[in-house]
């Protein structure tokens, strides 16, 4: 399975769309949003977590795009006639997703620390990176669910819609504080808002709030079930 | 385990329906180890469904499919099967070596990657990206993927579909090499000549059933009959199609070609008419055999010889 992971990570990193959309874009957007106009500095930290989260969500969903592509070209079918079990294939894919979110997280955090002068304790940097990494798992599952269910093109569109919609709703691009009250009340239930909250709490020197963990756990279950159902369905239809 | 005595492939009454269409409609077949077998049929005859059943990609609705005495999934898990699937396309963003090496690594006793590439005739493409190769080269990469694991059973679904004549010859040359090494090979094709030339045995499938099983020679013989040709020498063709045994008559220039169920009787009848100039008697071709076996209805025979490309 490690070989499979290596093969798929390699394939992902060779995808120009992934490198630009999943790594370069969040970094650029972060630098752009935080360096236009006056700023008190706290947004530089908040936006750093938000954009690292946005990049991680995009990369996680991208895993599903890879699955849809592999299904369309018959590669998944080819794997089914090798000694690999389908469990190994799915687990390998999920692991690939969790590895490929790392570049986005690291790149945006690096931009925050090196370019924008964000200063945090060493444990905070480490904790933010690890929490964003773990917190991206539900989004990998959402992407896999889309990938196993939809065709290549519709997966791309669905992932894009999920990515932008959840990013904006969850306040990854603009702080939720700027939202009208009704939207803010929706926002707190989104996985993206809670996902970013994991990181922002740590940046403020606090432990993640239980609410964040609870909401994310709910979405983990929901997207996980979605992924399993989609995979079963794809097995039936070939 | 008694696996050494078990057939490489054994279907017993296998049925697979999609809605109202019985794509595989009661197939019984056995392939012994080391045999090279062609599954011959028109498009839509049930070849690909048979292969999906064989590989365990689909389950039969009725009957059973076994590979080396075990369910297909078990043989696949054990690394005894390598397959070249029909609808597969190039895997993007990997090199040939990476892809073949990865697949080889899944099997317990794989071929060295360089050996697999050489057998497939793509040693010089090892470091090229698979998605940047031509159609024929991609096809050979898929062949290398199928044989990388050194599987006991090699299953090839329409392996030469996208190849030009030269690539086809190269492909069959490497295939023969493999068959000689003791691999069991089952390939599907709708090219009669390929089945005849490269397989020990031909299974003809039509409408989801095996309608014939034997060597090319046996199929030709079982189709019976033959072709009798004579010069007309200005004679009218009237009545020739009513001679003993004659199924159909075709006139080309000054030559009459009689497709007949009983060449001897036809020749005697022609002799009685004194029409034996340039007499030629040929056995039925594999084309004829194939058409006889799979024709929608045996009667009435068409007046002109059926075009071979319809096969």
């Amino acid at each position: 399975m490690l070989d499979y992971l290596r093969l798929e990570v390699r394939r992902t990193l060779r995808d120009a769309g992934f490198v630009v959309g999943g790594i370069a874009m969040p970094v650029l957007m972060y630098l752009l949003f935080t360096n236009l106009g006056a700023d008190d500095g706290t947004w530089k930290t908040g936006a750093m977590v938000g954009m690292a989260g946005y990049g991680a969500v995009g990369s996680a969903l991208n895993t599903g795009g890879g699955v849809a592509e592999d299904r369309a070209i018959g590669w998944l079918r080819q794997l089914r006639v090798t000694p690999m079990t389908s469990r190994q294939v799915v687990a390998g894919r999920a692991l690939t997703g969790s590895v490929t979110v790392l570049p986005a997280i690291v790149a945006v955090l690096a931009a925050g620390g090196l370019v924008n002068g964000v200063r945090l304790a060493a444990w905070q940097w480490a904790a933010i990176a690890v929490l964003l990494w773990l917190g991206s798992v539900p989004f990998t599952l959402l992407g896999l669910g889309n990938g196993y269910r939809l065709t290549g093109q519709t997966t791309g569109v669905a992932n894009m819609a999920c990515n932008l919609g959840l990013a904006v709703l969850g306040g990854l691009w603009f702080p939720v504080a700027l939202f009208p009250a009704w939207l803010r009340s929706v926002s707190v239930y989104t996985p993206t808002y809670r996902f970013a909250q994991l990181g922002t709490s740590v940046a403020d020197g606090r432990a993640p709030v239980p609410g964040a963990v609870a909401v994310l756990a709910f979405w983990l279950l929901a997207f996980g079930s979605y992924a399993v159902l989609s995979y079963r369905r794809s097995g039936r239809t070939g | 385990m008694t696996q050494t005595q078990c057939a490489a492939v054994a279907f017993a009454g296998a049925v697979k329906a999609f809605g109202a269409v019985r794509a595989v409609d009661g197939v019984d077949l056995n392939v012994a180890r080391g045999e090279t077998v062609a599954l011959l049929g028109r498009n839509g005859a049930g070849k690909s469904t048979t292969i999906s059943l064989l590989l365990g990609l689909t389950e039969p609705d009725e009957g059973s499919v076994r590979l080396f005495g075990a369910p297909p999934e078990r043989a696949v898990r054990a690394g005894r099967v390598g397959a070249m699937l029909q609808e597969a396309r190039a895997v993007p963003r990997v090199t040939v070596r990476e892809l073949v090496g990865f697949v080889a690594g899944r099997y317990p006793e794989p071929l060295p990657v360089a050996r697999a590439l050489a057998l497939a005739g793509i040693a010089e493409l090892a470091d090229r990206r698979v998605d940047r190769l031509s159609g024929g080269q991609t096809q050979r990469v898929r062949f290398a993927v199928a044989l990388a694991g050194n599987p006991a059973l090699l299953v090839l679904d329409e392996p030469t579909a996208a190849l030009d004549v030269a690539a086809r010859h190269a492909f069959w040359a490497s295939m023969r090499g493999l068959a000689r090494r003791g691999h069991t090979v089952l390939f599907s094709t709708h090219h009669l000549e390929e089945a005849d030339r490269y397989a020990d045995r031909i299974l003809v499938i039509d409408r989801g059933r095996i309608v014939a099983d034997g060597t090319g020679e046996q199929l030709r013989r079982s189709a019976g009959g033959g072709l009798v040709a004579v010069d007309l020498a200005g004679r009218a063709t009237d009545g020739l199609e009513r001679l003993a045994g004659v199924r159909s008559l075709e006139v080309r220039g000054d030559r009459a070609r009689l497709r007949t169920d009983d060449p001897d009787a036809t020749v005697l009848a022609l002799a009685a008419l004194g029409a034996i100039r340039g007499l030629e008697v040929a056995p039925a071709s594999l084309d004829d055999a194939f058409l006889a076996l799979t024709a929608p209805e045996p009667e009435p025979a068409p007046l002109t010889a059926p075009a071979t490309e319809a096969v």
Side-chain angles (χ1 to χ4, degrees), chain B residues 189-202:
Chain B
T189 182
H190 55 260
H191 292 290
L192 288 163
E193 154 228 357
E194 274 187 0
D196 194 22
R197 198 180 300 171
Y198 301 107
D200 303 329
R201 218 175 112 201
I202 301 173

Side-chain angles (χ1 to χ4, degrees), chain A residues 1 3-4 7 10-12 14-16 69-70 72-75 77-86 235, chain B residues 52 55-57 76-77 79 81 83 85 87-95 98-99 102-103 106-107 129 145:
Chain A
M1 198 159 74
D3 287 348
Y4 183 52
L7 183 84
R10 214 178 249 167
R11 286 182 58 203
T12 306
R14 279 181 194 155
D15 182 357
E69 181 185 60
D70 287 356
I73 62 169
W75 175 231
R77 217 170 142 81
Q78 184 71 48
L79 286 176
R80 283 175 66 192
V81 293
T82 69
M84 278 185 94
T85 62
S86 27
Chain B
S52 287
L55 293 171
L57 292 172
V76 168
R77 293 291 155 257
V81 183
L85 303 173
E87 65 277 34
R89 277 176 281 150
V91 181
R93 301 183 300 280
V94 279
T95 67
E98 285 165 357
L99 183 69
F102 165 73
V103 174
R106 305 308 99 220
Y107 285 79
R129 270 181 46 173
V145 163

Side-chain angles (χ1 to χ4, degrees), chain B residues 255-273:
Chain B
R255 221 165 149 68
R257 294 155 60 84
L258 302 152
R259 216 164 273 282
T260 167
D261 292 328
D262 185 349
D264 294 352
T266 306
V267 169
L268 287 174
L270 283 167
L273 291 174

Side-chain angles (χ1 to χ4, degrees), chain B residues 84 134-143 158-172 191 194:
Chain B
M84 184 168 167
S134 73
Q137 289 170 329
T138 309
Q139 194 100 333
R140 290 205 220 174
V141 171
R142 292 171 41 217
F143 182 48
E158 306 256 356
T160 59
L163 299 184
D164 60 28
V165 179
R168 213 166 259 209
H169 280 285
F171 175 84
W172 287 113
H191 292 290
E194 274 187 0

Side-chain angles (χ1 to χ4, degrees), chain B residues 7-12 29-31 64-68:
Chain B
V9 180
F11 277 55
L29 70 89
N30 272 282
V31 177
S64 76
V65 178
R66 297 181 87 74
L67 303 182
F68 303 102

Side-chain angles (χ1 to χ4, degrees), chain B residues 242-256:
Chain B
R242 284 191 298 275
L243 294 181
V246 173
R247 219 190 296 162
S248 70
L249 164 70
E250 182 196 354
V251 179
R252 273 189 206 162
D254 193 36
R255 221 165 149 68

Side-chain angles (χ1 to χ4, degrees), chain A residues 158-199:
Chain A
N159 283 346
M160 177 86 85
C162 289
N163 192 8
L164 293 183
L166 289 175
V168 171
L169 259 185
L172 298 188
W173 284 17
F174 307 102
V176 174
L178 301 180
F179 290 177
W182 65 269
L183 195 55
R184 229 177 302 158
S185 60
V186 175
S187 192
V188 295
Y189 292 104
T190 60
T192 31
Y193 175 76
R194 297 302 188 165
F195 174 48
Q197 204 182 21
L198 291 179

